[in-house]
Every structure is written in C-alpha cells, then in structure tokens.
Amino acid sequence: MAAGSYKDAFKGTAYYYARFRPAYTLEFFGLLQRAFHLDGTGRLLDLGCGTGQIALPLSLFFGEVVAMDPEPEMLAEAQEEIDEAEARNITLVQGGSSDLPTLIDSLGKFRLVTMGSSFHWMDRAATLDLLSRMVEPGGGIAIASSGSLWTDGTPWCRAVRAT
C-alpha cells in the first residue's frame, strides 16, 4: 500500500490466514537455503510476515529473524505459532513497508529479505530501493506467492473455481 494508506485493511482476517492460507512449499524453502547458503547464522527480515508462514520455517536457517507486519492481529497469530514451535530467534515488529524509512537504521542489515503475498500491497519500487540498502553483500531479496486461487490445485480451490 502507498505510504500512509494502511488502515485496518486486514483486521479480522488473521485467524483465517493462519488456518486456511495455502502454505509455501518445502521446495521454496530449500531453494532459498541453497541460493543464499543459509547455515543457521545471519539475519532474515520477513516483510509483511502475516501469520509467520515464511518467517517460522526459515527461522531454522538463521541466527535471528525479524518478522514485520502492520496488522496487530496478524502478529498475535504469528506469536501463537512461534510459541508453539518454541522458536526463540524470531522478533515481531509492528510496521509495514511505509515504515521502513524511519526504521532502516534500527533494523540493520540482513542476509535475506523475504516478502510473500504481501508485496503487491506495497509501493514496490520504493520498497525495493530501501531494502537494497538493508541487504548485506552476498544476500538478497526473495518475493514469493503461495499461489493463486485460480491456479492452486488444492481441493478447496478447485471447488471454488467449479462454482
């Protein structure tokens, strides 16, 4: 979303995201591990983390994870998942891409920045410009989508398309 335009856009949806949003694939996480030589050290920023569907699985490959989302309910669901998994290396930060200019110095550098289905809500050019300054040499930015209702092969997506 454009800077300053976010206001409760996902309020009331976190419960459903945590339970029904299609998961990212093991192949996706394996690809990131190989491409960025993830070895249990370094830092990850998951921007627009939602309920933690990228941050939590990737926490196994990093020393520190910062999971950031503007919606407090998303962060509350993420915290429940983090607690259940006993992932001690994840810090939740309330904020979105429009908050990066004021947080860039305090957040620091990262080996990898991930954005899942959140990226299309952001001012993409401005966000990528800021993030490029936050990635350490040899690191990168990975943008993923959990799939589309129109292309996903899960039974519920097929049923919706058939309807």
Side-chain angles (χ1 to χ4, degrees):
M1 291 190 158
S5 68
Y6 176 83
K7 177 91 172 102
D8 296 330
F10 293 93
K11 189 171 183 61
T13 64
Y15 173 88
Y16 303 101
Y17 267 62
R19 286 150 186 86
F20 303 113
R21 188 169 193 107
Y24 295 91
T25 66
L26 292 175
E27 291 82 10
F28 168 70
F29 297 116
L31 174 68
L32 292 179
Q33 181 187 20
R34 291 185 303 280
F36 296 102
H37 310 287
L38 306 180
D39 60 4
T41 64
R43 300 178 73 226
L44 166 70
L45 171 62
D46 185 20
L47 182 59
C49 69
T51 60
Q53 288 186 313
I54 291 177
L56 189 58
L58 282 180
S59 70
L60 300 172
F61 303 115
F62 287 92
E64 181 184 357
V65 174
V66 176
M68 188 170 164
D69 199 277
E71 177 53 57
E73 292 176 7
M74 291 288 186
L75 295 175
E77 287 287 339
Q79 188 64 62
E80 286 183 26
E81 297 292 326
I82 290 165
D83 291 345
E84 185 176 314
E86 298 180 0
R88 308 264 184 254
N89 63 336
I90 302 175
T91 301
L92 299 176
V93 174
Q94 185 176 345
S97 59
S98 63
D99 298 302
L100 287 175
T102 59
L103 296 175
I104 191 168
D105 292 329
S106 63
L107 288 172
K109 297 281 187 182
F110 297 90
R111 178 178 300 168
L112 181 63
V113 175
T114 55
M115 292 170 283
S117 298
S118 62
F119 186 61
H120 70 280
W121 293 102
M122 301 177 193
D123 178 337
R124 291 177 288 283
T127 299
L128 290 174
D129 179 59
L130 283 166
L131 292 176
S132 71
R133 293 183 258 153
M134 298 172 72
V135 174
E136 65 187 34
I141 298 170
I143 302 166
S145 175
S146 59
S148 165
L149 168 66
W150 306 110
T151 60
D152 191 289
T154 58
W156 77 269
C157 288
R158 287 194 307 267
V160 169
R161 286 193 303 270
T163 302

